Amino acid sequence: MTNKETIYVVSDSVGETADLMVKAVASQFLGKDVEIKHFSYAEDEQDINNVITAAKYSHSIIAYTIVLPALKQYLDQRTAEEGITAVDLMLPLMNAFTQTFNTEPSHQPRQMRKLDEDYFKRVEAIEFAVKYDDGQEVRGLRLADIVLIGVSRTSKTPLSMYLANKKFKVANVPLIPEVPPPQELFNIPRSKCVGLMITPEKLNEIRRERLKNLGLTSPANYASLDRILEELNSAQNIMRKIGCPIIDVSNKAIEETADIILAMFNKRGSFANG
């Protein structure tokens, strides 16, 4: 017959951290039947008293992640008075942070939720960049924070993904002389559109290398200088018609181009909520 024990998980937030830690520890005691009970969003002394009342009549442990100093102190005091074992799961690591990095914690609850929100915004932006890559679904142009336009091999896709990792929704559209650009390009605010240009020589070098990597060694119109000049001239005319800023990406790393774009948009106030 197993001896059932109770662990009260108390937190001033949801309590996922405490719950996972308790389960990880409990899994090491195979002979024990452990029941975990949750008290989430503990905000005041009454919430603590409710836990104490439940715990003092059973053989139990209180495991908690509470960062509000006054509430933590009250819980420590009350559990000591009642002879209940209470464990602050965050204290050792908090002390290590303080001593090693010479900094103090904010003692603000629910900070993990803010981190989670940042994470999900980043994921959403990455999914957006994939969905609206290379001119797919022009509806994305209206929904995007940034729209990148340019000829093939001007780093539109990697730049879109880099900016997405900074939580910006980016769509990109390839400019091809034989294919009219979508009308939506001329309907969106030109302030959120960015043209990417490159020197003919650099683009010729990039495209030749691309063909080589694909195993295509015979001459191809894609990499011919005449074709490249035609594409760049057509693209520049479209960019001028839209009235968007143009960045020469010939000798720039993705990070450098992204910094230019963000600085430009921040200066205009376009990313006030970014």
Side-chain angles (χ1 to χ4, degrees), residues 110-126 163-169 273-274:
R110 304 177 193 177
Q111 294 300 298
M112 278 294 293
R113 182 173 296 274
K114 294 180 181 178
L115 293 177
D116 288 344
E117 288 174 358
D118 284 345
Y119 170 77
F120 286 119
K121 283 182 181 178
R122 184 174 293 108
V123 170
E124 182 182 6
I126 291 172
L163 290 167
N165 271 284
K166 292 184 176 294
K167 297 177 290 185
F168 296 108
K169 294 180 179 179
N273 299 318

Side-chain angles (χ1 to χ4, degrees), residues 239-266:
M239 293 173 192
R240 287 173 175 168
K241 185 176 180 181
I242 293 172
C244 64
I246 300 173
I247 299 175
D248 186 342
V249 300
S250 303
N251 298 301
K252 291 183 176 64
I254 297 298
E255 297 84 353
E256 186 179 358
T257 305
D259 286 344
I260 293 172
I261 291 173
L262 295 180
M264 177 176 63
F265 277 71
N266 282 321

